[in-house]
Amino acid sequence: MTVYNFGSINIDMIYRVPHLVKPGETLASRSMSTVLGGKGANQSVALARAGTHVQHVGRIGDGDQWASKQMSDAGVDIRGVESVAGPSGHAIIQVDDNGENSIILHGGANQSFDATALEKHLQEATPDDWLLIQNECNGIQTAMDIAAHKGMRIAFNPAPMTPDVAALPLEQCAVLIVNETEAEQLAGTTDPDELLNRLAEKYPQSRLVLTLGAKGAVLHSQAEQFRQQASAVDVVDTTGAGDTFVGYFLAAMISGLDDQECLRRGCAAAALSVTVAGATPSIPDAAAVDAFLN
Ligand code: RIB
């Protein structure tokens, strides 16, 4: 079983600032660092550190091979990562003193896919395999169609949310993982008590996971609904916490753990990730998550 993760690879430029910059303000940063990020790469690294075989399908700009090397070093199968002309995707990230962030994205190589490339990288996939997707690459509908045609199971994390997501064939997804903003836009309500019910009506075949940041996560499936509280930790940087949750949740689900335990592992890994700066550098390995849970 392989998770094919069709996802972004970003160069994250992280600026520590006393507060998130306001309109018209010029603000000096306290420090700046450059690390591997992107929701796709983060989720691949989380899956690999959780012990799952993950093959990343993605693109970087020529000259940024250090990024795919770091993914490989983390245990990600990078046979499906191509170098293309032009810039890599990148993110300009402000992180304030409370660990909160705001992010500007440039799509770069993440927006250069076509059907031929996706068919090539998914050609060996079988119905035993999963396709994981986020919303930072172009070609999502095509990837979903290829996966559905092959009988693969699809997990989708529509982050960052855009208006076109609602038109995707989300009923094909075995797993949908959304935060509150994404859930509100898909469900068409801002009532927190109604979000999961509305999503369940729209996507009755999917396992739905609603992430709530510092308040934990809720899972809804045909059989049951579970809630998991988040652990209280000292927050350094929340960048990549949602991605860490997705990787660990999916890894636990694929390994056959029950729903409550999958939520527990996802929340534990995400809690650990916010105690360390940066996206991929903050994603814990399975031993650290086990130790935290024990
Ligand atoms: O989810 C965090 C990620 O969002 C960052 O690594 C950044 O690259 C943006 O894609």
Side-chain angles (χ1 to χ4, degrees):
M1 196 290 310
T2 294
V3 177
Y4 288 82
N5 182 12
F6 167 45
S8 58
I9 303 170
N10 285 341
I11 312 301
D12 284 0
M13 288 170 282
I14 306 168
Y15 300 83
R16 295 296 309 207
V17 287
H19 59 263
L20 304 182
V21 72
K22 301 186 182 89
E25 182 183 22
T26 299
L27 183 64
S29 64
R30 293 178 173 147
S31 66
M32 189 261 173
S33 54
T34 301
V35 302
L36 168 64
K39 295 183 194 303
N42 298 342
Q43 293 181 21
S44 278
V45 169
L47 278 158
R49 289 190 177 148
T52 298
H53 181 242
V54 52
Q55 188 165 324
H56 195 94
V57 177
R59 286 183 166 177
I60 52 174
D62 278 333
D64 284 327
Q65 277 73 15
W66 64 269
S68 49
K69 164 95 171 48
Q70 285 194 9
M71 292 172 72
S72 175
D73 289 348
V76 178
D77 182 336
I78 58 162
R79 272 176 290 172
V81 176
E82 295 175 330
S83 296
V84 293
S88 295
H90 65 261
I92 296 171
I93 304 179
Q94 303 174 55
V95 182
D96 72 11
D97 286 344
N98 299 315
E100 290 301 329
N101 64 42
S102 81
I103 301 178
I104 297 172
L105 283 178
H106 176 73
N110 298 319
Q111 292 291 321
S112 68
F113 291 93
D114 57 28
T116 309
L118 292 171
E119 270 157 15
K120 178 175 106 185
H121 290 299
L122 294 173
Q123 69 184 353
E124 286 176 15
T126 73
D128 282 341
D129 299 326
W130 282 80
L131 177 68
L132 170 63
I133 321 176
Q134 312 75 32
N135 192 30
E136 288 186 339
C137 293
N138 73 313
I140 291 173
Q141 164 100 50
T142 306
M144 283 184 175
D145 290 347
I146 295 170
H149 184 67
K150 284 176 164 285
M152 298 170 76
R153 287 155 294 178
I154 302 172
F156 185 41
N157 170 223
M161 193 59 166
T162 48
D164 49 329
V165 166
L168 290 169
L170 299 186
E171 66 286 349
Q172 292 178 351
C173 298
V175 178
L176 268 177
I177 303 176
V178 291
N179 66 17
E180 284 168 287
T181 310
E182 293 146 12
E184 284 171 11
Q185 292 186 40
L186 286 178
T189 175
T190 53
D191 178 350
D193 297 328
E194 267 301 300
L195 280 180
L196 274 173
N197 292 338
R198 291 271 188 95
L199 289 177
E201 278 166 25
K202 281 181 91 169
Y203 313 116
Q205 305 303 325
S206 308
R207 187 177 256 132
L208 303 165
V209 181
L210 176 64
T211 59
L212 301 165
K215 290 180 283 169
V218 188
L219 181 146
H220 181 103
S221 70
Q222 284 167 323
E224 56 207 353
Q225 188 158 315
F226 289 116
R227 182 171 192 132
Q228 174 69 44
Q229 298 293 335
S231 306
V233 288
D234 291 332
V235 177
V236 173
D237 180 359
T238 57
T239 311
D243 302 326
T244 305
F245 176 92
V246 171
Y248 267 84
F249 174 85
L250 199 59
M253 211 193 77
I254 287 168
S255 74
L257 296 181
D258 65 39
D259 286 342
Q260 185 79 66
E261 191 57 22
C262 295
L263 277 186
R264 204 167 152 252
R265 284 191 79 74
C267 287
L272 281 173
S273 80
V274 304
T275 64
V276 178
T280 49
S282 73
I283 299 170
D285 61 21
V289 174
D290 290 341
F292 186 74
L293 285 170
N294 289 331

